[in-house]
Structure formats: C-alpha cells, structure tokens
Amino acid sequence: MALMTGDQYISSLRGLGHHVFIQGEEIQDVTDHPISRPPAMAIAETYFQAEQKEKQSLFTAQSHITGENINRFTHIQHSVEDLVKKILMLREMGRKTACCFQRCAGLDCMNTVYAITYDLDQAYGTDYHQRFVDFIKYVQTNDLVTAACMTDTKGDRSLSPSQQEDKDQYLHMVVEKKDGIVVRGAKLHITGAVNSHELIVVPTRALKEEDKDYAIAFAIPADTEGVTFIYGRQPSDTRRLEEGRSDVGNLYYGGYEAMVVFDDVFVPQERIFMKREYAMAGRLVELFAAHHRASYGGCKVGVGDVLIGAAAAIAEAQGTSDASHIRDKIAEMIHLNETLHAGALASAGKGYQTASGAYAVDALLANVCKLNVTRFPFEISRLAQDIAGGLLVTMPSLDDKDNPQVGKYIDKYLGGTADVDSEKRMRILRLIENITLGTGAVSYLTESIHGAGSPQAQKIMITRLADLESAKKYAFKLCGINLRDDKSRKV
Ligand code: SF4
Ligand code: FE
C-alpha cells in the first residue's frame, strides 16, 4: 500500500494506542474528541486530496526509493519542480482547511535528516543514511504521518544544554546500551504530534562538545512506552464542546500543537540517525529551518486566501464592496498575501542539490519569506477586521437565532443586503473571528511569528547569508573608490 485513503488514516489513528491528555484527562480516541477531531480531519485532508485523480500531480509523487506513487507529504524532493510543487500543495491545503494541517513539519524534517545523514556518513564513516532510507521506505510504503519533534523546553536560556541545573531541559541520551539508547526530555509546540504515526526527534540548536549527549536524532512510533502527549490549549477551544458545534467559524478543521514528554524512552539502534556528532547539529537545524520557513509561504498564503475571500464576502453582504477604500483594502491584502507566496516560490526556484542528491530551498530567500510571514498575516487580519466591522466581536450566538423569543430580532436586525440573511452574515463573521482571534489564529497569527523559528532567528540567518562584502564592492566600484590602492579602507 503506497497510498492510504483518508478513511484508512482516521482508522489508523484510532488504533494508535498512544497516551494523549486534553484538559486534564486522558482521552482514548483523538478522532472522536470534539477538541482534537478538527486537527485530525485537517491531516486527513492530505489523504483525501491525494485520492482525487485531478489532484494527483500535485498531491502525489514518484518515490526515488521505491519507484511507487506516494503521497507528496512523504516525498524526498529531487528537483526544483518538487520544491515548487510542495509550496503549491501547501497553499491548496491552506485554502481547504484554513488552519495548520500539520503534516509538512514531518515532511520538512524527513528531507532535512535525509541530507544530513548523508553528510554525517561522509564526515564520520557512520551508516546513518541507509538507516534513514530504510525508515523513509517504511513511511512511504505505509503512507504514514511523521511529526518533527525539535523545540526543547530550554530551561534557563542563558545557559547551554549541559549547563542547565535540570539536565532534562534539553532532550538527551541518559543510557547507552548495546542495542540502542535511552532518552529523556520534552519537546514543546509539536505540530501534528498526536495525529502522527511516527515521531522524528532532532536537536533544537547548534551544540558544542560538552553538549554531545544532546546531539541525537532518531525516530520512534508514537505509541512507544514512556512517550506522553499533552494537548495545547487554544483561544475558544471549548466552543467545540458546545452542543451542535456549529457556531465555531471553521466547522471542520483546526491546527494544534502538543507537548511531548519522553520519560526514559528506549530507541533501538536502527532508528538512531545521529549520536554525539555535535558539530552537525547546527547545520541540521539550519537546513530544517530553511525547508520549513519556505513552507510558510505556502500554507499561510492558503489561509490568507480564505480570509481575503471572507473579507470580500462580508463587504458584499454589508453593501460596502463598491466603496473605494474597501476595494483598496482588499487589493492591499492580496498584495501582501501574494508577496509571501512569491518569497517561497523564489526560494524553491533557486533551490539546489545537496550532496545526498535531495534538493533544498535557497536559505536566504526562505528566511526572507518567513520574516514577512511574521508580519503580513497580522496586517491582513487587521484589514479583514476593519472591513468586517465591530459586529465581529459583539455579535450574539447562532443559538440566539434559534430562540423563539429573540430569534426574530436577530433575523430582522442582523441581516445584510436584501439577498443576505442573518445566518449567512453571521457565519462569515464567525469565520473571520476564528482565523483572526480564535482557534484559527493560533495557526494564522502566533504560529506565523514563532513557528519554524521566531523573527530574530530569521534576521540572524538573513544577516549571515547575505553577501554584504560583495555588495560593498559594487558600491565602491561605482563611486570611484579603488579598493586595491586605498590603504585606509576598512574592508
Ligand atoms: Fe505545515 Fe504550515 Fe503547519 Fe508548518 S505551519 S506544519 S508548514 S501547515
Ligand atoms: Fe508550523
């Protein structure tokens, strides 16, 4: 089986047997709980899309390992076209779900570890790459979801991992055995964690020799003994517990993150992809960051499409769509959204082949894309709220519409233009509220700042990757400064 159906994916989650806690209680089935079902359905959409014939060129690819037709969310990219198609696929998924659909963090991590294990073998004579190829083969053949477990809890951030008073603030190796290692620690903000079959664990930062026990990468099944998932809380998440659950804005999907605890977890030898090669940890983090920062110029742009559509629809519903300032605001939103997409596509277009044969995006452009993502969705959201008007946050519940005493007032006073009834207007407003203030805002706003690294991380990379010395030379040449003769020059 190289392609799982969406229904098979849902069934596979039911049978996972992993330990998941939501709001103080362990739950048995993530696909059945009102809070965790929408995120599971968002990932299921990556399977439903691949099932459709007309979507297959975007959502499937040929595996370079097995030769089979596989879901593109498990594909190791081998051309610029692959890099571009990934971005286009993520935008399409953002449009379908209006949230973080979670599966790309694992995809980007797989592409990263594929390239890094090759480099590790070249540098240290290890056999990590073949182990990882075997793992990828297993993932592709069974069409599995993988979660990228990267961010450590970090404790006192002024201290390195080995300097921490509590050594578990960064995930590390506590025991080394003949047939594997035992690890302890916790990873935060793990996208898609409870909806994944496999967890890929990697370091979160560059490491020094004294931190070498923290330089580990491995993959384990989600139901491995000692692994516990604690679900992240989101604004308005308990609205999903309301009877009928229809007044939540996005009726079907949602993103989420979870804390994943590794309490003395055994990792077998064949699933270890880095062990103590601390000098390569920084390169791994940077490569993952480049892949995932480019991804944001796909997924967030798709969510932006939905928000722009909702803003245009509410303007029509309220009779303001012909006002010049509204048209100007919509144009501004489109401009910002497409600028995000342009950065991601450019980073893919300037992609390059790594020594492993897999392709990676241009890191400078990927970081520029992501730095824009930390800003533009906020401006797009501001404009959407401006267009929507204050009713966005003062509107009664849809339940009031069903009440025999006050429903008639809702219908009479909250309708829009002649052809727009109160329910239509309220549903559009609720969707805008969800994306800019509710559960959806976790995916569209806060994740846009901090996901794949906070803004300062992008600025550091942009400064490091930009060729300032060449730029200065261009300037000197044009203004007549002779670099060779000018002994006083500081460059
Ligand atoms: Fe995918 Fe975007 Fe979510 Fe990252 S933030 S996992 S790229 S949908
Ligand atoms: Fe993310």
Side-chain angles (χ1 to χ4, degrees):
M1 173 185 65
L3 283 174
M4 192 156 29
T5 66
D7 292 336
Q8 286 169 333
Y9 167 67
I10 297 287
S11 304
S12 74
L13 283 186
R14 289 204 179 105
L16 255 189
H18 52 345
H19 298 289
V20 181
F21 288 78
I22 298 181
Q23 296 179 4
E25 280 178 15
E26 181 163 11
I27 64 155
Q28 298 309 320
D29 180 357
V30 290
T31 70
D32 198 35
H33 191 287
I35 287 181
S36 56
R37 183 172 170 80
M41 293 313 294
I43 294 201
E45 199 57 47
T46 67
Y47 291 91
F48 290 131
Q49 292 295 313
E51 282 179 55
Q52 295 172 36
K53 249 205 160 75
E54 69 278 10
K55 295 287 183 65
Q56 291 203 336
S57 99
L58 201 56
F59 279 82
T60 66
Q62 190 185 20
S63 165
H64 79 290
I65 299 171
T66 65
E68 282 192 274
N69 196 37
I70 55 168
N71 193 302
R72 192 175 289 282
F73 277 96
T74 66
H75 184 47
I76 301 299
Q77 291 124 25
H78 267 78
S79 63
V80 163
E81 188 189 353
D82 274 345
L83 297 174
V84 169
K85 278 192 169 174
K86 183 193 78 169
I87 303 294
L88 298 177
M89 173 177 75
L90 301 194
R91 182 172 187 169
E92 184 65 8
M93 279 299 302
R95 288 170 173 163
K96 295 278 181 232
T97 62
C99 67
C100 169
F101 38 87
Q102 310 142 53
R103 202 174 174 185
C104 8
L107 167 65
D108 290 338
C109 195
M110 285 193 285
N111 275 271
T112 301
V113 179
Y114 184 88
I116 293 295
T117 49
Y118 185 89
D119 294 346
L120 281 167
D121 288 358
Q122 298 303 304
Y124 301 100
T126 47
D127 61 351
Y128 295 133
H129 191 62
Q130 188 54 50
R131 286 183 199 173
F132 195 68
V133 169
D134 291 344
F135 171 69
I136 294 284
K137 197 171 165 183
Y138 168 68
V139 168
Q140 291 182 342
T141 307
N142 294 286
D143 201 1
L144 302 179
V145 176
T146 59
C149 300
M150 176 174 262
T151 309
D152 288 288
T153 50
K154 297 180 184 164
D156 181 342
R157 288 165 187 235
S158 68
L159 302 175
S160 72
S162 56
Q163 289 168 341
Q164 300 286 329
E165 197 179 321
D166 178 352
K167 303 292 179 214
D168 302 338
Q169 292 304 324
Y170 287 79
L171 188 136
H172 64 126
M173 184 162 56
V174 285
V175 179
E176 197 172 1
K177 299 184 171 180
K178 233 190 181 158
D179 55 347
I181 57 173
V182 176
V183 300
R184 191 187 303 148
K187 297 282 188 177
L188 291 182
H189 333 300
I190 304 307
T191 297
V194 312
N195 297 329
S196 299
H197 307 98
E198 292 279 336
L199 310 176
I200 306 176
V201 180
V202 291
T204 199
R205 51 174 283 174
L207 297 167
K208 297 198 171 127
E209 189 173 1
E210 57 269 28
D211 301 319
K212 60 180 184 297
D213 284 350
Y214 296 84
I216 44 174
F218 59 87
I220 49 170
D223 61 349
T224 302
E225 203 184 328
V227 176
T228 305
F229 302 86
I230 309 171
Y231 218 78
R233 184 111 224 240
Q234 296 181 333
S236 308
D237 52 4
T238 47
R239 283 187 184 180
R240 289 182 183 147
L241 302 173
E242 292 166 5
E243 199 76 28
R245 292 177 228 145
S246 77
D247 199 17
V248 291
N250 185 339
L251 304 195
Y252 308 107
Y253 306 107
Y256 80 98
E257 275 74 30
M259 174 176 171
V260 187
V261 181
F262 299 79
D263 194 3
D264 289 354
V265 173
F266 177 70
V267 183
Q269 195 77 8
E270 65 274 14
R271 286 297 196 89
I272 299 171
F273 312 126
M274 172 189 274
K275 192 172 80 177
R276 294 206 176 94
E277 292 83 6
Y278 61 90
M280 206 70 91
R283 164 88 186 121
L284 184 153
V285 174
E286 283 177 17
L287 188 59
F288 173 75
H291 274 300
H292 206 47
R293 286 171 192 173
S295 291
Y296 275 49
C299 71
K300 303 303 178 210
V301 179
V303 181
D305 288 331
V306 176
L307 186 56
I308 292 167
I314 200 64
E316 277 169 26
Q318 296 176 161
T320 58
S321 57
D322 287 336
S324 63
H325 73 98
I326 296 289
R327 288 208 303 266
D328 185 68
K329 282 165 189 154
I330 297 280
E332 181 70 15
M333 293 164 86
I334 295 168
H335 168 244
L336 292 167
N337 205 38
E338 297 300 333
T339 303
L340 298 179
H341 200 43
L345 289 175
S347 74
K350 280 186 78 178
Y352 65 97
Q353 191 173 34
T354 64
S356 68
Y359 269 60
V361 291
D362 179 87
L364 176 58
L365 288 170
N367 277 278
V368 168
C369 167
K370 174 63 193 6
L371 189 58
N372 284 337
V373 170
T374 67
R375 300 167 181 170
F376 295 179
F378 285 83
E379 182 61 7
I380 295 170
S381 297
R382 189 185 71 79
L383 291 165
Q385 291 195 359
D386 185 351
I387 292 168
L391 192 61
L392 184 69
V393 290
T394 62
M395 180 173 68
S397 152
L398 275 175
D399 288 343
D400 292 312
K401 202 178 135 46
D402 297 333
N403 180 287
Q405 278 168 284
V406 296
K408 55 182 187 263
Y409 301 134
I410 303 283
D411 285 340
K412 178 176 167 66
Y413 292 113
L414 295 187
T417 51
D419 55 343
V420 176
D421 63 19
S422 60
E423 178 163 345
K424 184 173 180 187
R425 185 180 177 204
M426 291 168 81
R427 284 194 182 279
I428 299 168
L429 286 169
R430 194 66 81 205
L431 178 61
I432 296 172
E433 184 206 38
N434 174 270
I435 297 172
T436 64
L437 292 166
T439 53
V442 175
S443 295
Y444 190 53
L445 297 178
T446 313
E447 190 178 36
S448 288
I449 300 188
H450 294 295
S454 308
Q456 194 56 26
Q458 284 107 69
K459 283 201 179 162
I460 290 167
M461 286 308 295
I462 286 170
T463 311
R464 195 186 300 164
L465 292 166
D467 187 358
L468 265 186
E469 290 312 309
S470 292
K472 279 196 264 182
K473 282 177 191 156
Y474 292 131
F476 287 144
K477 189 165 183 204
L478 285 172
C479 67
I481 296 173
N482 185 327
L483 291 178
R484 247 171 295 170
D485 299 343
D486 182 3
K487 303 279 187 263
S488 65
R489 70 188 166 86
K490 291 209 169 78
V491 292

